[in-house]
Amino acid sequence: MIITIDGPAAAGKGTISKILSAKYKLAYFDTGMVYRAVGLQMVLSGEDLQNQEAAAKIAQNLTFPQMMELSVHPDFRSDIGSHAASVVSAHHDVRAALLKMQKDFALNPVFADGTPANGVVYDGRDTGTVICPNADLKLFITASTEIRAMRRYKEFLEKGVTADYNKVLQDMIARDERDSKRSAAPLKPADDAIIIDTSEMDVQTVLSKVMSLIDAKL
Ligand code: DC
């Protein structure tokens, strides 16, 4: 079974995807990681994020071990890493270089330890529209910008990171704008995606709704 979960930042995609992949014994592919790896590598190499050629070169040579190494860097999930990922993900040549790797995962999905899985939960922006247009179930998880910014702000505080809510909100607005207005695979729900607005829902409520959709498919 292939499930795609797309939507804007901090809508709850990651939390839901991880719980679902564990419950239904499916592999999990966080596609944002590949863009974060390219963006962070650009920052660490001192490249201008707008340099499409340099970013595409990094994307073409990106290996799984390199991505895992970058994923433990303190800026991988910081606002620096988020901003860099969002900027490089708008480059057509970067997306083209990372397409096959993401599509191929559905052909031979594996768990983190390398053992084969019977399917995959994809988490991203274009997984239902571009990566897996034939997925068994497509979800688009969203929430209001203010609520997503508040969730991200609380995550920072929980991690002991000093944050300013208004700055988090402005960053969220800028990232939404870049992710949804870019010409390369802009963020939008697939025509056959089920849209879930989690603004007024807790994780359990979202999960029961999604699980009933999956169980109906099974
Ligand atoms: O899901 P995330 O916050 O880790 O994603 C980081 C950035 O990567 C996001 O702002 C846009 C980009 N991205 C993308 O363009 N396509 C995807 N499938 C996943 C992420």
Side-chain angles (χ1 to χ4, degrees):
M1 165 168 263
I2 297 183
I3 302 171
T4 59
I5 306 190
D6 292 309
K13 304 182 306 285
T15 308
I16 301 295
S17 304
K18 280 181 216 145
I19 297 174
L20 291 180
S21 58
K23 172 152 179 56
Y24 293 95
K25 300 193 169 41
L26 301 169
Y28 171 51
F29 193 162
D30 171 5
T31 61
M33 280 184 72
V34 295
Y35 297 98
R36 284 180 183 272
V38 174
L40 182 58
Q41 190 56 59
M42 288 285 281
V43 172
L44 297 177
S45 311
E47 295 284 358
D48 175 358
L49 294 173
Q50 300 297 343
N51 185 341
Q52 168 155 218
E53 209 179 309
K57 209 164 179 182
I58 289 173
Q60 281 150 10
N61 295 316
L62 184 70
T63 61
F64 193 73
Q66 186 193 2
M67 187 166 88
M68 295 320 287
E69 200 182 314
L70 285 163
S71 74
V72 296
H73 189 284
D75 276 328
F76 193 73
R77 298 219 172 257
S78 75
D79 48 353
I80 295 173
S82 300
H83 172 256
S86 175
V87 175
V88 299
S89 69
H91 297 319
H92 281 270
D93 294 353
V94 168
R95 300 200 78 86
L98 299 170
L99 185 66
K100 189 173 181 319
M101 171 215 253
Q102 295 177 80
K103 275 182 171 277
D104 285 355
F105 191 78
L107 305 175
N108 288 302
V110 285
F111 293 109
D113 66 0
T115 54
N118 279 331
V120 48
V121 179
Y122 276 96
D123 162 355
R125 301 288 187 287
D126 64 343
T127 67
T129 48
V130 177
I131 306 296
C132 273
N134 298 324
D136 300 291
L137 179 65
K138 297 181 189 178
L139 303 174
F140 189 87
I141 297 197
T142 188
S144 78
T145 320
E146 289 73 17
I147 286 183
R148 289 186 290 113
M150 184 51 78
R151 288 178 188 163
R152 187 49 48 89
Y153 170 68
K154 285 184 179 160
E155 271 171 32
F156 281 132
L157 296 191
E158 276 160 22
K159 284 186 199 155
V161 177
T162 323
D164 168 14
Y165 170 75
N166 284 321
K167 162 95 171 56
V168 176
L169 178 63
Q170 289 317 312
D171 286 352
M172 190 71 76
I173 292 169
R175 187 138 78 105
D176 283 354
E177 176 104 0
R178 255 194 317 274
D179 292 350
S180 52
K181 301 245 164 90
R182 66 188 181 208
S183 61
L187 169 68
K188 62 169 179 136
D191 292 341
D192 50 351
I194 295 164
I195 301 176
I196 302 177
D197 187 327
T198 67
S199 301
E200 306 291 330
M201 292 184 188
D202 61 14
V203 175
Q204 268 319 316
T205 313
V206 182
L207 268 179
S208 13
K209 188 174 167 69
V210 172
M211 275 158 38
S212 60
L213 292 168
I214 299 175
D215 293 342
K217 288 271 171 196
L218 290 172

